[in-house]
Amino acid sequence: MSSIVDAKGLSCPQPVILTLNEIKKVGKGEITVLVDTVTSRENVSRAAIAQGWTLKNIEPEGEGFRISITKG
């Protein structure tokens, strides 16, 4: 299963909260998180890893970043 969390335009902690909510909802699979600040990129990545997810990729996208995380 793959899902997208669009957190562009939101300031922390909202991108982290949206990501953690999606992690709880899907349980496993792949989640792509879209953020537009370095702070959000770092905080979302740390939160996902702390929940046992693997950071698959971080790519620049437009003026932000596309974070791919996976589990199971």
Side-chain angles (χ1 to χ4, degrees), residues 1-6 18-34 44 48 53-57 66-71:
M1 174 173 195
S2 180
S3 60
I4 296 178
V5 173
D6 186 350
L18 291 175
T19 302
L20 293 176
N21 287 343
E22 191 67 17
I23 283 172
K24 289 175 189 169
K25 181 175 142 189
V26 301
K28 64 180 181 178
E30 183 170 341
I31 300 172
T32 300
V33 185
L34 307 175
V44 165
W53 286 63
T54 300
L55 187 59
K56 182 177 173 185
N57 198 13
R66 175 180 288 264
I67 306 164
S68 298
I69 58 174
T70 60
K71 185 171 183 177

Side-chain angles (χ1 to χ4, degrees), residues 36-66:
D36 55 6
T37 67
V38 172
T39 301
S40 293
R41 178 192 72 191
E42 296 302 317
N43 290 343
V44 165
S45 299
R46 274 196 298 270
I49 290 168
Q51 294 297 311
W53 286 63
T54 300
L55 187 59
K56 182 177 173 185
N57 198 13
I58 298 177
E59 299 176 340
E61 180 172 280
E63 294 183 19
F65 304 94
R66 175 180 288 264

